Amino acid sequence: MAENTEKTNSKSAFQMPTSSPNFDCLAVTQVNVWPFKEGSNLGHMKGLAQIVLNDQMVIRGLRVMDGEHGLFVGYPNDPFYKGEEFHSICLPITRQLKEHIENCVLEKYQAAVA
């Protein structure tokens, strides 16, 4: 029984904190945006983007979308997911990272279309 307690304690020791007020370990270090020409029939999609995080990880297939509340960034979806809704391949977990990525991509998009 002591072994089970040890395993339980070791699992809880490695849990990630649920909130981190100073989360800044991931940063967008490069952004490429490809806006679509006006008149193309792609619905709410206005362009594609690619970002690099910390000069170490690339995320391709980001979409610049025009929604009810303005522009936002859509994340790549799993093409093999068979559910009724979309299932993203990657997406930020924290609000801070989501806002950071969105701000970087949308700033670059606005500059490209200006």
Side-chain angles (χ1 to χ4, degrees):
M1 206 154 152
E3 290 177 25
N4 288 342
T5 306
E6 265 182 37
K7 287 180 183 176
T8 305
N9 290 340
S10 67
K11 283 184 183 176
S12 64
F14 293 109
Q15 289 180 347
M16 297 295 290
T18 55
S19 64
S20 177
N22 296 325
F23 180 78
D24 62 350
C25 73
L26 287 177
V28 175
T29 53
Q30 183 180 354
V31 179
N32 294 318
V33 176
W34 299 276
F36 298 141
K37 293 179 181 177
E38 288 295 322
S40 58
N41 192 10
L42 295 171
H44 297 284
M45 193 170 12
K46 299 297 180 188
L48 291 174
Q50 167 184 303
I51 62 171
V52 178
L53 300 174
N54 287 3
D55 289 324
Q56 298 180 35
M57 181 176 178
V58 175
I59 300 177
R60 294 183 175 124
L62 298 171
R63 298 176 318 276
V64 178
M65 305 291 291
D66 190 12
E68 291 180 17
H69 303 288
L71 295 175
F72 68 94
V73 175
Y75 291 86
N77 293 320
D78 183 354
F80 301 108
Y81 182 70
K82 300 296 180 195
E84 291 182 20
E85 297 180 6
F86 294 109
H87 190 249
S88 294
I89 293 173
C90 64
L91 65 152
I93 293 174
T94 65
R95 174 180 230 109
Q96 292 144 332
L97 182 59
K98 179 183 182 286
E99 290 173 355
H100 175 59
I101 290 171
E102 193 162 276
N103 289 337
C104 291
V105 170
L106 294 181
E107 280 178 18
K108 190 80 165 191
Y109 174 80
Q110 294 292 351
V113 296

